[in-house]
């Protein structure tokens, strides 16, 4: 059978039953319980009975009698003091806690505050807080308002099992143990979790620690093995963790210190360090490269120095050292403090990446040479200068130095054919030469480049930061080169180039400098060895944008049959934000009902009809609008387009923008023909009047007059006899024949003078002299006419019908009276022309001997004969 005890515990105001099963031992029975409410707040009474459960005895008859009540008096019966319970109690998070406030006699509790405020008006107050939350490190204040009663309540959790218990030694003298708390402790001071480290093998306790210090150190002594227990404990309970180990397997050395370095060569650095304890250790060296690469060097013997080799010249390295036990290795020490050292310089290795840009002239050539480090190039020191050597065809080798960090130079040469070499130089030596060979074919490439059409390609295969370039591969080249400018609108333009293999025929050129709406020019070269030939030129955009700027529109012809529009727009300008592919001409009539022939009709808001002409030839900048009609007003707008056609603008709809051209066709064109006819008639009349006024000039312009020489009569002073003068009385060339001639279209009279023979028949002394004709203008060759001005002022009334040498002499009855006068030594002491010469009737001839021509003393005399007909 089973024995069961029942207790009846009740305060004076209410009661409750508790039941438990008893064991069959003869030991005294202890029954402990914790009341929900503080037992000090009220009086309790207790009684107990037992029950024997047997199959043969009914349950109702098996209970024993109740014992006498055992009463426990509460503090609520006192009147002299005030109380609050429980005081400074530690409770578990999430539990229900009951509080009791008892005021002294005549004192009522108005409210109790535990986070929230609970009101009352009793001398004794009991209240319960359900599901309490974690307290602050110093606990939660409980206050009974109406009195000065208050206390603290500490709400926390049971301790968690400690984690990561570890013990080690760095010198085989002191053992250092550390751990991590199993749970977070929200309390501080004596109510926080306490950690106790002890040895289960001998019961020794090594340390008591608060959670703020999760470690413990103690001397090792002669013991080499340990069986440790770590206990986490607070008012709500405790948890254990265990660790067993051999001290010889738990050696963790101290990190090396006072690390120093020394650069021995361009590829080696030596390190030195010190150790804290004299232990048998192996060490490890870590070297950091500038590019982030890390190398580890293991030293399998105990030492305090090491030489790190295989390093790059003139490169900065950072070193650290750590050590561990050489026997029963457990783990490395911490890294030492870092130290940095640079290796020494050496000659540059690898070739520079070299390229050029040529600008041939008529008698010279400008070459801009560019260079940059190639992937295989290593400066191995600080580059001080770049040496440029060139040997052009037919010229002596020359060189120049360019200081670093410049990466280009210009060469002004007589021709572009030759070799150019570039070397980088540091304080040790120079790099291997990088050579560009510019052949005559390359030079001709640039002459061809000037005339080469630049292909304009769209941006279909481009990316957000890259421009797609493709080219036609050719088998004779072993690679390809593309060059361009990152900033084509400024100088310097940040010239760039990129090289590709022989099997590549396309590339995506990327640059952070590329911007939408900027035209970039690319040149594709085929390379063979050190020579290169231009293959293609391309113009591309990262992304084409809508063109800016509006063409300037002109209206050349306006009538009812057609309108002629022209506009000015530089469609080849590289500053455009996209390739200009054509133009759209929008036309709106005044009433919004455009019906022009050959146009596309666009209907916009409110039923307004706009005419649209699309011209897909950017070089074509004219448009003829057919049949615009009479007396109609049109508004014109021309817009250039790139990738997409433009839309109708508000400027055209409103017609207020200055670039909108407004044109009104004439109402009637008959007056135009009348005006033209009137202008033609007036012009013809003016021409007739002008011709009449200047008829002489016009006649001489159209039919120049044949020269008509006239004989100038000469009157000789009466002192001479009425015969021919003696030869000694005349000087050659002083007796002249004068011709009046009108110049063609000049209408100006000029005088030509002829030396003629002399004859005389007059009442007084009147003599005519004739000679061979020699033309000379007045004053042109220094010859003189008659000595008197009267001979210049008066003109003879003789007409010259023909020109024959000395055909006849008039009014001479006897040829014997005609004496030939030589022109040598002829002198006129005084010659005056008569008022009027008598008519001369030439009937006979006389033979005339030739004379020397005027104006040339060295010319031989002309022996030909000439005849002169003299007609009255």
């Amino acid at each position: 059978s089973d024995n069961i005890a029942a207790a009846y515990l009740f305060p004076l105001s209410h009661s409750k039953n508790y039941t438990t099963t008893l064991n069959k031992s003869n030991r005294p029975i202890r029954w402990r319980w914790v009341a929900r409410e503080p037992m000090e707040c009220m009086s309790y009474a207790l009684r107990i009975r037992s029950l024997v459960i047997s199959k043969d005895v009914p349950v109702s008859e098996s209970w024993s009698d109740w014992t006498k009540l055992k009463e426990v008096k509460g503090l609520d019966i006192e009147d002299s003091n005030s109380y609050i319970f429980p005081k400074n109690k530690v409770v578990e998070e999430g539990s229900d806690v009951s509080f009791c406030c008892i005021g002294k006699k005549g004192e009522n509790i108005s409210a109790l505050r535990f986070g929230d405020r609970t009101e009352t008006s009793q001398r004794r107050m009991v209240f319960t807080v359900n599901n309490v939350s974690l307290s602050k490190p110093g606990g939660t204040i409980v206050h009974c308002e109406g009195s000065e009663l208050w206390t603290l309540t500490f709400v926390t959790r049971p301790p968690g099992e400690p984690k990561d218990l570890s013990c080690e030694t760095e010198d085989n003298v002191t053992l250092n143990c550390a751990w991590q708390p199993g749970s977070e402790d929200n309390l501080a001071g004596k109510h926080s979790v306490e950690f106790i480290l002890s040895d289960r093998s001998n019961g020794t306790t090594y340390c008591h620690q608060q959670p703020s210090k999760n470690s413990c150190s103690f001397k090792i002594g002669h013991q080499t093995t340990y069986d440790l227990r770590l206990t986490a404990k607070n008012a709500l309970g405790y948890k254990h963790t265990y660790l067993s180990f051999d001290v010889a397997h738990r050696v963790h050395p101290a990190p090396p210190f006072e690390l120093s370095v020394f650069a021995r060569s361009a590829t080696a650095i030596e390190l030195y360090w010190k150790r804290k304890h004299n232990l048998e250790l192996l060490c490890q060296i870590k070297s950091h490269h500038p590019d982030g690469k890390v190398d580890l060097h293991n030293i399998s013997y105990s030492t305090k120095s090491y030489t790190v080799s295989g390093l790059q010249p003139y490169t900065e390295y950072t070193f650290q050292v750590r050590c561990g036990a050489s026997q029963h290795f457990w783990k490395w020490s911490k890294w030492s403090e870092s130290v940095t050292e640079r290796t020494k310089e050496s000659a540059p290795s690898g070739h520079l990446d070299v390229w050029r840009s040529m600008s041939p002239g008529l008698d010279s050539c400008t070459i801009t040479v560019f260079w940059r480090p190639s992937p295989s190039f290593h400066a191995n020191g600080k580059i001080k200068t770049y040496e440029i050597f060139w040997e052009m065809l037919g010229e002596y080798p020359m060189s120049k130095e360019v200081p670093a960090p410049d990466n280009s130079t210009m060469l002004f040469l007589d021709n572009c054919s030759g070799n150019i070499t570039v070397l980088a130089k540091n304080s040790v030596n120079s790099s291997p030469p990088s050579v560009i060979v510019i052949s005559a074919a390359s030079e001709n490439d640039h002459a061809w480049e000037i005339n080469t059409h630049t292909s304009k390609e769209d941006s279909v295969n481009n990316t957000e930061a890259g421009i797609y370039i493709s080219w036609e591969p050719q088998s004779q080249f072993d690679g390809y080169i593309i060059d361009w400018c990152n900033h084509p609108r400024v100088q310097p333009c940040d010239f760039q180039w990129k090289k590709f293999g022989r099997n590549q025929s396309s590339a995506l050129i990327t640059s952070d400098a590329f911007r939408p709406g900027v035209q970039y020019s690319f040149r594709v070269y085929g390379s063979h060895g050190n020579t290169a030939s231009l293959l293609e030129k391309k113009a591309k955009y990262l992304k084409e944008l809508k063109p800016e700027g509006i063409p300037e529109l002109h209206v050349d012809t306006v009538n009812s049959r057609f309108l002629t529009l022209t506009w000015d727009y530089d469609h080849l300008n590289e500053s455009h934000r996209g390739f200009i592919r054509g133009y759209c001409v929008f036309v709106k009539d005044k009433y919004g009902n455009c019906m022009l022939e050959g146009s596309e009709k666009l209907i916009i808001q409110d039923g307004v009809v706009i005419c649209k002409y699309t011209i897909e030839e950017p070089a074509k900048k004219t448009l003829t609008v057919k049949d615009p009609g009479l007396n109609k007003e049109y508004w014109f707008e021309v817009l250039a387009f790139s990738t997409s056609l433009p839309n109708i603008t508000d400027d055209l709809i409103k017609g207020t923008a200055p670039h909108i051209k407004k044109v009104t066709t004439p109402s009637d064109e008959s007056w135009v023909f009348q005006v033209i006819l009137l202008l033609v008639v007036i012009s013809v009349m003016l021409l007739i009047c002008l011709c009449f006024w200047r008829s002489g000039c016009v006649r001489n312009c159209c039919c120049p007059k044949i020269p008509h020489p006239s004989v100038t009569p000469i009157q000789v002073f009466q002192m001479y006899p009425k015969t021919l003068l003696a030869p000694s009385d005349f000087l050659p060339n002083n007796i002249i024949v004068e011709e009046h001639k009108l110049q063609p279209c000049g209408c100006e009279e000029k005088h030509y003078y002829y030396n003629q023979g002399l004859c005389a028949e007059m009442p007084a002394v009147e003599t005519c002299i004739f000679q061979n004709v020699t033309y000379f203008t007045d004053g042109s060759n220094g010859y003189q006419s008659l000595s008197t001005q009267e001979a210049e002022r008066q003109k003879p009334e003789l007409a010259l019908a023909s020109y024959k040498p000395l055909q006849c002499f008039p009014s001479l009855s006897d040829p014997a009276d005609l004496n030939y006068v030589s022109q040598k030594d002829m002198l006129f002491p005084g010659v005056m022309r008569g008022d009027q010469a008598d008519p001369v009737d030439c009937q006979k001839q006389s033979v005339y001997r030739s004379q020397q021509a005027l104006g040339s003393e060295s010319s031989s005399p002309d022996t030909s004969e000439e005849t002169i007909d003299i007609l009255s």
Side-chain angles (χ1 to χ4, degrees), residues 467 485-489 513-522 539-545 574-578:
I467 297 178
C485 281
N486 275 339
H487 304 284
R489 297 181 182 178
F514 287 162
R515 294 290 182 270
V518 178
Q519 185 181 135
Y520 299 93
S521 297
F522 297 89
K540 299 202 67 170
Y541 289 84
L542 179 66
K543 181 181 179 182
E544 294 186 62
L545 302 179
E574 295 182 358
S575 64
H576 288 309
R577 304 200 305 168

Side-chain angles (χ1 to χ4, degrees), residues 415-458:
N415 64 78
C416 290
S417 299
N419 299 338
I420 300 176
T421 303
V422 182
L423 299 90
K425 187 176 182 180
N426 61 13
S427 60
V428 178
N429 209 333
S430 300
S431 67
S434 300
V435 181
I436 299 177
V437 178
I438 304 177
S439 62
S442 300
E443 185 176 354
N444 293 333
D445 282 343
H446 286 268
W448 174 78
E449 177 183 355
I450 299 175
N451 301 319
T452 298
H453 172 72
T454 301
S455 61
K456 300 178 179 180
E457 299 183 356
D458 55 35

Side-chain angles (χ1 to χ4, degrees), residues 355-359 366-371 407-412 420 436 495:
W355 189 233
R356 82 295 187 276
S357 177
M358 299 196 311
S359 300
T366 301
I367 300 179
T368 304
V369 183
F370 300 89
W371 58 85
N407 64 346
S408 65
T409 187
M410 296 183 68
L411 304 179
F412 301 96
I420 300 176
I436 299 177
F495 184 81

Side-chain angles (χ1 to χ4, degrees), residues 560-580:
S560 60
R561 292 173 296 156
F562 60 89
L563 295 173
T564 302
L565 306 176
T566 60
W567 53 89
D568 299 329
Y569 196 72
D570 186 6
H571 66 283
L572 298 177
N573 196 324
E574 295 182 358
S575 64
H576 288 309
R577 304 200 305 168
F579 295 122
I580 303 302

Side-chain angles (χ1 to χ4, degrees), residues 191-413:
H191 298 290
S192 62
V193 176
E194 181 185 14
F195 294 93
I196 303 171
L197 183 63
S198 60
D199 193 337
R200 291 193 299 173
S201 64
N202 55 22
T204 303
T205 299
Y206 296 111
C207 54
H208 294 260
Q209 298 291 356
Q210 297 296 324
S212 60
K213 187 177 181 182
N214 301 326
S215 62
C216 176
S217 299
F218 56 91
K219 296 294 183 179
I220 295 177
H222 299 290
Q223 187 176 348
T224 59
T225 60
Y226 289 85
D227 185 9
L228 300 179
R229 177 178 63 192
L230 179 65
T231 302
K233 179 183 177 182
N234 68 1
L236 299 180
Y238 55 87
K239 290 289 179 66
H240 303 290
T241 188
Y242 305 94
L243 177 65
S244 298
F245 59 90
D246 187 340
V247 174
H249 295 187
R250 296 294 175 121
V251 177
H252 184 201
F257 62 98
E258 294 186 10
L259 183 65
S260 60
V261 291
F262 172 73
R264 288 202 169 275
S265 66
T267 59
I269 292 178
E270 190 170 1
L271 287 82
Y272 302 89
W273 63 89
K274 294 181 179 181
R275 297 181 303 187
K276 189 174 182 180
H277 305 289
N278 189 19
L279 300 175
E280 290 295 325
L281 304 175
L282 57 86
C283 296
Q284 189 177 65
I285 298 174
K286 179 168 62 175
S287 59
H288 297 264
H289 294 248
D291 58 0
K293 181 182 176 182
V294 176
D295 290 334
L296 295 176
H297 308 270
N298 293 319
I299 308 172
S300 59
Y301 53 91
S302 184
T303 183
K304 298 179 182 180
S305 65
Y306 184 76
T307 300
V308 181
S309 58
L311 304 178
Q312 295 294 327
Y314 201 69
T315 304
E316 195 172 77
Y317 293 89
T318 301
F319 299 94
Q320 289 178 291
V321 180
R322 64 181 180 180
C323 298
S326 59
Q327 294 182 353
H328 308 295
F329 178 85
W330 184 47
K331 62 181 179 181
W332 292 105
S333 69
K334 294 181 180 179
W335 288 105
S336 67
E337 293 184 356
S338 60
V339 62
T340 302
E341 180 66 7
R342 186 191 298 274
T343 54
K344 294 183 178 181
E345 291 189 38
S346 67
S349 61
H351 294 79
L352 292 171
D353 185 5
V354 182
W355 189 233
R356 82 295 187 276
S357 177
M358 299 196 311
S359 300
L362 295 177
D363 299 323
S364 63
C365 177
T366 301
I367 300 179
T368 304
V369 183
F370 300 89
W371 58 85
R372 64 188 178 194
S374 65
S376 62
F377 178 81
H378 298 283
N380 296 337
K382 185 176 181 180
I383 300 298
K384 294 185 176 180
T385 59
Y386 295 94
E387 295 183 335
I388 317 298
F389 299 89
W390 65 92
E391 183 177 0
M392 312 313 289
L393 186 64
E395 299 180 8
Y396 291 105
M398 300 186 69
S399 65
K400 67 184 294 187
E401 283 192 353
V402 178
D406 292 352
N407 64 346
S408 65
T409 187
M410 296 183 68
L411 304 179
F412 301 96
L413 309 172

Side-chain angles (χ1 to χ4, degrees), residues 77 104 113 164 247 313 414 439 464 489 507 528 662 675 679 742 772:
I77 63 176
K104 60 185 178 180
R113 185 180 296 276
D164 303 331
V247 174
D414 292 337
S439 62
E464 291 185 358
R489 297 181 182 178
H528 182 75
K662 297 182 179 181
V675 171
L679 292 176
L742 294 176
N772 277 355

Side-chain angles (χ1 to χ4, degrees), residues 45-224:
L46 175 68
R47 66 182 180 178
I48 190 171
R49 69 177 180 175
S50 64
L51 170 67
V52 177
I53 300 176
S54 176
K55 297 180 181 179
D56 300 331
V57 180
V59 175
S60 60
E61 299 178 359
S62 300
W63 282 105
S64 68
D65 296 331
W66 288 103
T67 63
K68 292 181 180 181
L69 286 174
K70 180 69 173 178
E71 186 178 354
V72 179
K73 299 294 184 178
L75 297 177
D76 56 341
I77 63 176
E78 294 189 12
D79 296 334
S80 59
N81 295 314
S82 299
Y83 299 98
I84 182 170
F85 299 102
K87 290 184 177 181
N88 299 329
K89 185 176 181 180
V90 179
V91 298
E92 186 175 356
E93 178 189 19
S95 62
D96 299 335
V97 183
S98 295
F99 296 93
C100 174
C101 292
I102 302 174
K104 60 185 178 180
K105 186 177 181 180
E107 184 180 68
N108 290 334
I109 304 300
S110 61
L112 188 141
R113 185 180 296 276
F114 181 88
D116 297 330
R117 187 173 184 272
T118 304
E119 295 184 357
T120 185
S121 59
Q122 303 175 7
R123 178 172 174 261
R124 181 179 63 85
M125 179 183 179
V126 178
F127 71 97
T128 301
V129 179
N130 299 319
N131 193 22
V132 292
S133 58
L134 292 174
S135 301
K136 295 180 179 178
T140 302
I141 297 176
V142 181
H143 182 214
C144 294
E145 296 182 2
S147 68
E148 297 180 357
L149 298 174
W150 67 275
T151 187
L152 292 174
T153 299
F154 301 92
V155 183
T156 185
R157 304 184 185 97
E161 181 181 347
K163 299 182 296 183
D164 303 331
L165 176 59
S166 174
C167 297
E168 61 187 24
T169 180
E170 68 175 30
D171 55 3
N172 284 332
V173 175
T174 302
L175 191 64
N176 303 308
C177 296
W179 60 86
Q180 293 297 328
S183 60
E184 184 179 358
D185 190 6
N186 63 303
L187 300 180
K190 64 179 181 178
H191 298 290
S192 62
V193 176
E194 181 185 14
F195 294 93
I196 303 171
L197 183 63
S198 60
D199 193 337
R200 291 193 299 173
S201 64
N202 55 22
T204 303
T205 299
Y206 296 111
C207 54
H208 294 260
Q209 298 291 356
Q210 297 296 324
S212 60
K213 187 177 181 182
N214 301 326
S215 62
C216 176
S217 299
F218 56 91
K219 296 294 183 179
I220 295 177
H222 299 290
Q223 187 176 348
T224 59

